[in-house]
Amino acid sequence: MIQSMTGYGKAVATYGSKKIFAEIRSLNSKALDLSSRIAPLYREKEMEVRSIISNALERGKVEFNLWIEKNASETATPINGALVANYYTQIKSISEQYGIPQPEEWFATLLRMPDVMSRVEVQELSDEEWAVARSVVEEAVAQLVDFRKQEGEALARKFNEKLDNIATLMKEIEPYEVERVQKIRERIVDNLSKLPVEYDKNRLEQELIYYIEKLDINEEKQRLTNHLAYFRQTMNEGHGQGKKLGFIAQEMGREINTTGSKSN
């Protein structure tokens, strides 16, 4: 079944005290155009993430985000108490030694001192955590694919409806074909009868056959019928058939236009 190129997926999982989020969305594009934003901890796995996405999606402008949310207790920058105490002792000592007034706002002064508030973290990605993060990525991609399949089913229903309409209209023009040939013959004969000349009726019949054959639309109807069947078959061959379906639709339009040109 065909798939749409538009879709959305989001997944989340908990690992320890953090939540891991993955979000992916896609829009129409002739090829796979993938842009990603990945949390620094998982950046070493970017190629693996891209491989997961490209294996599931063939086309579309895709935006992917992978990020972490931590508890507030962990995200707050810690205050280095030992360093604060050391700064306090030094400032008080200098104040007493040189007669410099001590600060009125000790906390404000001490918290502005270098390295009092700083976070030095060196994180390493464990296999266990990456297994959880990878499952989140795969779930988000699976949701996107499901979304695209649902959209594709809706498109397929609409396509089949239009194909049925074309087939019905093609049947409806058949009664006019015999009538049209008769009217053409009558018009030509009537116009010839008004001319003050004699004409060879056998030659007239030969010319009429040649003329009417040029206006025959049986070949166009047959080709259009084949295109309708081929379009349905292609829709059921799987996703990634958009260009092929576009070409078949173009050929269908060609046969319909030719039929209209011959139906003067």
Side-chain angles (χ1 to χ4, degrees):
M1 182 60 67
I2 61 174
Q3 293 185 20
S4 169
M5 277 193 285
T6 59
Y8 177 81
K10 185 176 182 180
V12 59
T14 301
Y15 178 78
S17 60
K18 65 179 73 171
K19 286 185 176 181
I20 305 170
F21 292 85
E23 183 181 53
I24 185 170
R25 67 185 72 224
S26 67
L27 299 172
N28 293 341
S29 178
K30 291 182 178 181
L32 180 61
D33 181 8
L34 173 59
S35 61
S36 62
R37 288 190 297 176
I38 300 176
L41 180 60
Y42 305 135
R43 204 157 288 158
E44 64 185 82
K45 300 292 186 179
E46 182 172 0
M47 295 308 298
E48 187 173 341
V49 170
R50 286 180 169 269
S51 177
I52 293 171
I53 296 172
S54 61
N55 287 338
L57 310 176
E58 292 184 10
R59 297 173 64 188
K61 181 177 176 59
V62 181
E63 296 179 1
F64 174 79
N65 293 323
L66 179 63
W67 75 97
I68 301 170
E69 288 186 3
K70 298 181 180 179
N71 291 337
S73 61
E74 289 195 0
T75 56
T77 302
I79 298 175
N80 191 328
L83 192 58
V84 168
N86 188 283
Y87 278 130
Y88 174 78
T89 301
Q90 290 186 58
I91 293 173
K92 189 174 181 181
S93 174
I94 292 171
S95 173
E96 294 174 352
Q97 182 178 353
Y98 296 102
I100 300 173
Q102 296 183 13
E104 295 182 2
E105 297 289 338
W106 272 105
F107 269 111
T109 301
L110 292 172
L111 292 178
R112 287 198 295 266
M113 301 304 291
D115 300 326
V116 168
M117 299 182 67
S118 63
R119 177 183 292 274
V120 179
E121 282 187 302
V122 178
Q123 291 184 319
E124 290 188 3
L125 178 62
S126 66
D127 293 340
E128 183 182 0
E129 180 174 352
W130 174 240
V132 175
R134 180 187 171 94
S135 68
V136 173
V137 174
E138 291 173 341
E139 183 181 348
V141 173
Q143 287 186 18
L144 173 70
V145 171
D146 288 341
F147 192 107
R148 291 171 68 151
K149 285 181 178 178
Q150 292 175 12
E151 291 287 311
E153 289 174 1
L155 284 173
R157 286 194 296 271
K158 180 59 67 175
F159 283 150
N160 281 314
E161 176 187 325
K162 299 305 180 184
L163 295 173
D164 291 340
N165 289 345
I166 293 173
T168 299
L169 291 170
M170 189 165 55
K171 289 288 185 183
E172 291 180 0
I173 67 175
E174 291 180 359
Y176 298 101
E177 292 182 64
V178 177
E179 180 182 349
R180 181 174 68 127
V181 172
Q182 184 62 32
K183 284 185 176 181
I184 292 173
R185 179 186 297 273
E186 290 175 357
R187 185 173 70 248
I188 293 175
V189 172
D190 182 59
N191 288 336
L192 284 173
S193 65
K194 295 176 183 179
L195 296 175
V197 294
E198 293 292 330
Y199 61 87
D200 187 339
K201 293 186 177 181
N202 290 329
R203 179 63 185 274
L204 173 62
E205 289 298 321
Q206 293 175 3
E207 294 296 335
L208 281 173
I209 291 172
Y210 174 73
Y211 180 65
I212 291 171
E213 281 181 350
K214 287 178 63 178
L215 299 179
D216 182 72
I217 60 171
N218 283 320
E219 287 188 16
E220 284 73 19
K221 290 196 304 178
Q222 183 59 53
R223 285 196 291 266
L224 181 55
T225 300
N226 293 340
H227 293 332
L228 293 174
Y230 192 34
F231 195 99
R232 296 183 198 273
Q233 175 188 331
T234 303
M235 282 197 299
N236 294 324
E237 288 179 353
H239 62 281
Q241 302 294 331
K243 291 181 180 179
K244 190 174 181 180
L245 290 174
F247 174 76
I248 300 171
Q250 180 180 340
E251 293 302 303
M252 289 164 55
R254 191 191 308 278
E255 301 304 334
I256 292 171
N257 286 337
T258 305
T259 299
S261 298
K262 288 186 174 183
S263 302
N264 59 345

